[in-house]
Amino acid sequence: MSRRAKVASITVKKVCGMDRRLALRPALPVHGSQKPSGPVRYAVTIGDPAGIGPEMVLRTLARLRDLNGCTIYGNRAMLRKTTRDLGLMEGYRRIESRVVDVVEDMSFDYGKSTKRTARAALHSIQAALESGSDVIVTAPIVKATVRLISPDFTG
């Protein structure tokens, strides 16, 4: 990988009635900290589909005025399922064109992280890292489940 990530955190307030943390990872060139030329490109991952990640993405990004440069890495069908179940169709319509399918469709139950949902989260993160974006925002994953498929995973 030709870039490394510098980690900073932001708090996204009042998502589902409580504070949640998303990790911002501005990608900096290995040999210095040059500003990106042109508009900033943001990559957003959906996190574990069985967790709160897709809901956070839907609720948070739908509220932003400007989505220029924003790409969401995950799966449209999974986001549509969350959209239907939570009645967030207006938010989904706003971001649908920005979603890149990098994860296969799958069935899942909310609150039950599995090896399949953990793999989906990892594929979403990997696609975002490979995208060459200037900023990566990762939605929550379940590290304990990820470690079932990748024991050395540190997060």
Side-chain angles (χ1 to χ4, degrees):
M1 200 175 322
S2 64
R3 296 176 179 244
R4 68 179 167 187
K6 179 179 179 183
V7 178
S9 300
I10 62 168
T11 301
V12 179
K13 296 196 185 255
K14 297 190 182 197
V15 175
C16 307
M18 60 187 80
D19 288 353
R20 296 287 182 189
R21 289 195 153 299
L22 294 177
L24 276 184
R25 293 187 170 101
L28 300 174
V30 174
H31 301 291
S33 58
Q34 300 169 340
K35 290 184 179 179
S37 59
V40 176
R41 296 169 310 185
Y42 298 89
V44 179
T45 69
I46 63 167
D48 189 314
I52 195 164
E55 180 180 355
M56 288 178 64
V57 168
L58 286 163
R59 289 185 186 272
T60 305
L61 294 182
R63 291 180 181 155
L64 296 179
R65 277 184 274 205
D66 184 8
L67 290 173
N68 287 334
C70 180
T71 305
I72 303 161
Y73 293 90
N75 179 286
R76 280 184 184 91
M78 285 187 229
L79 284 172
R80 268 194 306 271
K81 174 184 173 15
T82 302
T83 296
R84 280 191 309 271
D85 293 345
L86 298 176
L88 300 172
M89 199 51 153
E90 192 170 318
Y92 178 74
R93 283 188 198 110
R94 183 146 156 57
I95 67 168
E96 181 179 19
S97 66
R98 306 220 168 258
V99 179
V100 176
D101 287 322
V102 296
V103 177
E104 293 181 19
D105 292 350
M106 70 176 73
S107 60
F108 59 89
D109 296 317
Y110 297 115
K112 295 181 181 176
S113 181
T114 65
K115 287 181 181 180
R116 289 186 74 205
T117 61
R119 248 185 230 101
L122 288 177
H123 286 300
S124 177
I125 292 168
Q126 188 63 39
L129 288 169
E130 293 173 355
S131 72
S133 295
D134 301 304
V135 176
I136 299 174
V137 180
T138 60
I141 62 172
V142 181
K143 290 180 186 177
T145 309
V146 171
R147 286 188 189 110
L148 294 175
I149 56 176
S150 181
D152 296 330
F153 181 78
T154 57

Coordinates of all heavy atoms in Angstrom, one line a residue, residues 16-72:
C16 N -29.2 7.7 16.8 CA -30.0 6.8 17.6 C -30.0 7.1 19.0 O -30.1 6.3 19.9 CB -29.4 5.4 17.4 SG -29.2 4.9 15.7
G17 N -30.0 8.4 19.4 CA -30.2 8.9 20.7 C -28.9 8.8 21.6 O -29.0 8.9 22.8
M18 N -27.8 8.5 21.1 CA -26.6 8.4 21.9 C -25.4 8.8 21.0 O -25.4 8.8 19.8 CB -26.4 7.0 22.4 CG -26.3 5.9 21.4 SD -26.3 4.2 22.1 CE -28.1 4.0 22.4
D19 N -24.3 9.0 21.7 CA -23.0 9.4 21.0 C -22.4 8.1 20.4 O -22.4 7.0 21.0 CB -22.0 10.0 21.9 CG -22.4 11.4 22.3 OD1 -23.3 11.9 21.8 OD2 -21.7 11.9 23.2
R20 N -21.9 8.2 19.2 CA -21.1 7.1 18.6 C -19.8 7.6 18.1 O -19.7 8.8 17.7 CB -22.0 6.5 17.4 CG -23.3 5.9 17.8 CD -23.0 4.6 18.5 NE -24.2 4.0 18.9 CZ -24.3 2.9 19.6 NH1 -23.2 2.4 20.1 NH2 -25.5 2.4 19.9
R21 N -18.8 6.8 17.9 CA -17.5 7.2 17.4 C -17.3 6.6 16.0 O -17.6 5.4 15.8 CB -16.4 6.8 18.4 CG -16.4 7.6 19.6 CD -15.1 7.3 20.3 NE -14.7 8.4 21.2 CZ -14.4 9.7 20.8 NH1 -14.6 10.1 19.6 NH2 -14.0 10.5 21.7
L22 N -16.8 7.4 15.2 CA -16.3 6.9 13.8 C -14.9 7.3 13.7 O -14.5 8.3 14.2 CB -17.1 7.6 12.7 CG -18.6 7.4 12.6 CD1 -19.1 8.2 11.4 CD2 -18.8 5.9 12.3
A23 N -14.1 6.4 13.2 CA -12.7 6.7 13.0 C -12.4 7.4 11.7 O -12.9 6.9 10.6 CB -11.9 5.4 13.1
L24 N -11.8 8.5 11.7 CA -11.4 9.2 10.5 C -9.9 8.9 10.2 O -9.1 9.1 11.1 CB -11.5 10.8 10.7 CG -12.8 11.4 10.4 CD1 -12.7 12.9 10.6 CD2 -13.4 11.1 9.1
R25 N -9.6 8.5 9.0 CA -8.3 8.2 8.7 C -7.8 9.0 7.5 O -8.0 8.5 6.4 CB -8.1 6.7 8.4 CG -8.4 5.8 9.7 CD -8.1 4.4 9.4 NE -8.1 3.7 10.7 CZ -9.1 2.9 11.1 NH1 -10.2 2.8 10.3 NH2 -9.1 2.3 12.2
P26 N -7.3 10.2 7.7 CA -6.8 10.9 6.5 C -5.6 10.2 5.9 O -4.6 10.0 6.7 CB -6.5 12.3 7.1 CG -7.0 12.3 8.5 CD -7.2 10.9 8.9
A27 N -5.7 9.9 4.7 CA -4.6 9.2 4.0 C -3.5 10.2 3.7 O -3.8 11.2 3.0 CB -5.0 8.5 2.8
L28 N -2.3 10.1 4.2 CA -1.2 11.0 3.9 C -0.1 10.3 3.1 O 0.1 9.1 3.3 CB -0.6 11.5 5.2 CG -1.5 12.2 6.2 CD1 -0.8 12.5 7.5 CD2 -2.0 13.5 5.5
P29 N 0.5 11.0 2.2 CA 1.6 10.3 1.5 C 2.7 9.9 2.4 O 2.9 10.6 3.5 CB 2.1 11.4 0.5 CG 1.0 12.4 0.4 CD 0.3 12.3 1.7
V30 N 3.4 8.8 2.1 CA 4.4 8.3 3.0 C 5.5 9.3 3.2 O 6.1 9.4 4.3 CB 4.9 6.9 2.5 CG1 6.1 6.4 3.3 CG2 3.8 5.9 2.5
H31 N 5.8 10.0 2.2 CA 7.0 10.9 2.3 C 6.6 12.4 2.6 O 7.1 13.3 1.9 CB 7.8 10.9 1.0 CG 8.3 9.5 0.8 ND1 9.3 8.9 1.6 CD2 8.0 8.6 -0.1 CE1 9.5 7.7 1.1 NE2 8.7 7.4 0.1
G32 N 5.7 12.7 3.5 CA 5.3 14.0 3.8 C 3.8 14.2 3.9 O 3.1 13.2 3.8
S33 N 3.4 15.3 4.2 CA 2.0 15.6 4.5 C 1.5 16.6 3.5 O 1.1 17.7 3.9 CB 1.7 16.0 5.9 OG 2.4 17.1 6.2
Q34 N 1.4 16.3 2.2 CA 0.9 17.2 1.2 C -0.6 17.2 1.3 O -1.2 16.2 1.5 CB 1.4 16.8 -0.2 CG 2.9 16.7 -0.3 CD 3.2 16.0 -1.6 OE1 2.5 15.3 -2.2 NE2 4.5 16.3 -2.0
K35 N -1.2 18.4 0.9 CA -2.6 18.5 0.8 C -3.0 17.9 -0.5 O -2.3 18.0 -1.5 CB -3.0 20.0 0.9 CG -2.9 20.6 2.3 CD -3.4 21.9 2.3 CE -3.3 22.5 3.7 NZ -3.8 23.9 3.8
P36 N -4.2 17.3 -0.5 CA -4.6 16.7 -1.8 C -4.9 17.8 -2.8 O -5.4 18.9 -2.4 CB -5.9 16.0 -1.5 CG -6.3 16.3 -0.1 CD -5.1 17.0 0.5
S37 N -4.6 17.5 -4.1 CA -4.9 18.5 -5.1 C -6.4 18.2 -5.6 O -6.7 17.1 -5.8 CB -4.0 18.4 -6.3 OG -4.0 17.1 -6.8
G38 N -7.2 19.3 -5.7 CA -8.6 19.1 -6.0 C -9.4 18.8 -4.8 O -9.0 18.9 -3.7
P39 N -10.7 18.4 -5.1 CA -11.6 18.2 -4.0 C -11.2 17.0 -3.1 O -10.6 16.0 -3.6 CB -12.9 17.9 -4.7 CG -12.7 17.9 -6.1 CD -11.3 18.2 -6.4
V40 N -11.5 17.0 -1.9 CA -11.2 15.9 -1.0 C -12.1 14.7 -1.3 O -13.3 14.9 -1.4 CB -11.3 16.3 0.5 CG1 -11.1 15.2 1.5 CG2 -10.4 17.5 0.8
R41 N -11.6 13.5 -1.3 CA -12.4 12.3 -1.6 C -12.5 11.6 -0.3 O -11.5 11.2 0.4 CB -11.7 11.5 -2.6 CG -11.6 12.1 -4.0 CD -10.7 11.4 -4.9 NE -9.5 11.1 -4.2 CZ -8.4 10.5 -4.7 NH1 -8.4 10.1 -5.9 NH2 -7.3 10.4 -3.9
Y42 N -13.8 11.2 0.1 CA -14.1 10.5 1.3 C -14.6 9.1 1.0 O -15.4 8.9 0.1 CB -15.2 11.3 2.0 CG -14.9 12.6 2.5 CD1 -15.1 13.7 1.6 CD2 -14.3 12.9 3.7 CE1 -14.8 15.0 2.0 CE2 -14.0 14.2 4.1 CZ -14.2 15.2 3.2 OH -13.9 16.5 3.6
A43 N -14.0 8.1 1.7 CA -14.5 6.8 1.6 C -15.2 6.4 2.9 O -14.6 6.6 4.0 CB -13.4 5.8 1.3
V44 N -16.4 5.9 2.8 CA -17.1 5.5 4.0 C -17.5 4.0 3.9 O -17.9 3.6 2.9 CB -18.5 6.3 4.1 CG1 -19.3 5.9 5.4 CG2 -18.2 7.8 4.1
T45 N -17.2 3.3 5.0 CA -17.5 1.9 5.1 C -18.8 1.7 5.8 O -19.2 2.5 6.7 CB -16.4 1.1 5.7 OG1 -16.3 1.4 7.1 CG2 -15.0 1.4 5.0
I46 N -19.5 0.6 5.6 CA -20.8 0.3 6.3 C -20.6 -0.4 7.6 O -21.6 -0.6 8.3 CB -21.7 -0.5 5.4 CG1 -21.2 -1.9 5.0 CG2 -22.1 0.3 4.1 CD1 -22.2 -2.8 4.4
G47 N -19.4 -0.9 7.9 CA -19.2 -1.6 9.2 C -19.9 -3.0 9.1 O -20.1 -3.5 8.0
D48 N -20.1 -3.6 10.2 CA -20.8 -4.9 10.3 C -22.2 -4.7 9.9 O -22.9 -4.0 10.6 CB -20.6 -5.5 11.7 CG -21.1 -7.0 11.7 OD1 -22.1 -7.3 11.2 OD2 -20.3 -7.8 12.3
P49 N -22.7 -5.4 8.9 CA -24.1 -5.2 8.5 C -25.1 -5.5 9.6 O -26.2 -5.0 9.6 CB -24.3 -6.1 7.3 CG -22.9 -6.4 6.8 CD -22.0 -6.3 8.0
A50 N -24.8 -6.4 10.5 CA -25.7 -6.8 11.5 C -25.7 -5.8 12.7 O -26.5 -5.9 13.6 CB -25.4 -8.2 12.0
G51 N -24.8 -4.9 12.7 CA -24.6 -3.9 13.8 C -25.2 -2.6 13.4 O -26.0 -2.4 12.5
I52 N -24.7 -1.6 14.1 CA -25.3 -0.2 14.0 C -24.7 0.6 12.8 O -25.2 1.6 12.4 CB -25.1 0.6 15.3 CG1 -26.0 1.8 15.3 CG2 -23.6 0.9 15.5 CD1 -26.2 2.4 16.6
G53 N -23.6 0.0 12.2 CA -22.9 0.7 11.1 C -23.8 1.2 10.0 O -23.8 2.4 9.6
P54 N -24.6 0.3 9.3 CA -25.4 0.8 8.2 C -26.4 1.9 8.6 O -26.6 2.8 7.9 CB -26.1 -0.5 7.7 CG -25.2 -1.6 8.1 CD -24.6 -1.1 9.4
E55 N -27.0 1.8 9.8 CA -27.9 2.8 10.3 C -27.2 4.1 10.5 O -27.7 5.2 10.1 CB -28.5 2.4 11.6 CG -29.5 3.4 12.1 CD -30.2 3.0 13.4 OE1 -30.0 1.9 13.9 OE2 -30.9 3.8 14.0
M56 N -26.0 4.1 11.0 CA -25.2 5.3 11.2 C -24.9 6.0 9.9 O -25.0 7.2 9.7 CB -23.9 5.0 12.0 CG -24.1 4.7 13.4 SD -22.6 4.3 14.3 CE -21.7 5.8 14.1
V57 N -24.5 5.2 8.9 CA -24.2 5.7 7.6 C -25.4 6.4 7.0 O -25.4 7.5 6.5 CB -23.6 4.6 6.7 CG1 -23.5 5.1 5.2 CG2 -22.2 4.1 7.1
L58 N -26.5 5.7 7.0 CA -27.8 6.2 6.5 C -28.2 7.5 7.2 O -28.5 8.5 6.5 CB -28.9 5.2 6.6 CG -28.8 4.0 5.6 CD1 -29.7 2.8 6.1 CD2 -29.2 4.4 4.2
R59 N -28.2 7.5 8.5 CA -28.7 8.7 9.2 C -27.7 9.9 9.1 O -28.2 11.0 9.0 CB -28.9 8.3 10.7 CG -30.1 7.4 10.9 CD -30.4 7.2 12.4 NE -31.4 6.3 12.6 CZ -32.7 6.6 12.7 NH1 -33.1 7.8 12.5 NH2 -33.6 5.6 13.0
T60 N -26.4 9.6 9.2 CA -25.5 10.7 9.2 C -25.3 11.3 7.8 O -25.3 12.5 7.7 CB -24.1 10.1 9.8 OG1 -24.3 9.6 11.0 CG2 -23.1 11.3 9.9
L61 N -25.0 10.5 6.8 CA -24.7 11.0 5.5 C -26.0 11.7 4.9 O -25.8 12.7 4.1 CB -24.2 9.9 4.6 CG -22.8 9.4 4.9 CD1 -22.4 8.4 3.9 CD2 -21.8 10.5 5.1
A62 N -27.1 11.2 5.2 CA -28.4 11.8 4.7 C -28.5 13.3 5.2 O -29.2 14.1 4.5 CB -29.6 11.0 5.0
R63 N -27.9 13.6 6.3 CA -28.0 14.9 6.9 C -27.0 15.9 6.3 O -27.1 17.1 6.5 CB -27.9 14.9 8.4 CG -29.0 14.2 9.1 CD -28.8 14.1 10.5 NE -29.9 13.5 11.2 CZ -29.9 12.8 12.3 NH1 -28.7 12.8 13.0 NH2 -30.9 12.2 12.8
L64 N -26.0 15.4 5.6 CA -25.0 16.3 5.1 C -25.5 17.1 3.9 O -26.2 16.5 3.1 CB -23.7 15.5 4.7 CG -23.0 14.8 5.8 CD1 -21.8 14.1 5.3 CD2 -22.5 15.8 6.9
R65 N -25.1 18.3 3.8 CA -25.5 19.2 2.7 C -24.8 18.8 1.4 O -25.3 18.8 0.3 CB -25.3 20.6 3.0 CG -26.4 21.3 3.8 CD -26.1 22.7 3.9 NE -25.2 22.8 5.1 CZ -25.1 23.9 5.8 NH1 -25.7 25.0 5.5 NH2 -24.3 24.0 6.9
D66 N -23.5 18.5 1.5 CA -22.6 18.3 0.4 C -22.0 16.9 0.4 O -21.2 16.6 1.3 CB -21.5 19.3 0.3 CG -20.7 19.2 -0.9 OD1 -21.0 18.5 -1.8 OD2 -19.6 20.0 -0.9
L67 N -22.4 16.0 -0.5 CA -21.9 14.7 -0.6 C -20.8 14.5 -1.7 O -20.4 13.4 -2.0 CB -23.0 13.7 -0.7 CG -23.9 13.5 0.5 CD1 -25.1 12.6 0.1 CD2 -23.1 12.9 1.6
N68 N -20.4 15.7 -2.3 CA -19.4 15.6 -3.3 C -18.1 15.0 -2.8 O -17.7 15.3 -1.7 CB -19.1 17.0 -3.9 CG -20.2 17.5 -4.7 OD1 -21.0 16.8 -5.3 ND2 -20.3 18.9 -4.8
G69 N -17.6 14.0 -3.6 CA -16.4 13.4 -3.2 C -16.6 12.2 -2.2 O -15.6 11.5 -1.8
C70 N -17.8 11.9 -1.8 CA -18.1 10.8 -0.9 C -18.5 9.6 -1.6 O -19.4 9.6 -2.5 CB -19.2 11.3 0.0 SG -19.7 10.0 1.3
T71 N -17.9 8.5 -1.3 CA -18.2 7.1 -1.8 C -18.4 6.2 -0.6 O -17.6 6.2 0.3 CB -17.1 6.6 -2.7 OG1 -16.8 7.6 -3.7 CG2 -17.5 5.3 -3.3
I72 N -19.5 5.4 -0.7 CA -19.8 4.5 0.4 C -19.5 3.1 -0.1 O -20.0 2.6 -1.2 CB -21.3 4.5 0.8 CG1 -21.6 6.0 1.2 CG2 -21.6 3.5 1.9 CD1 -23.1 6.3 1.2

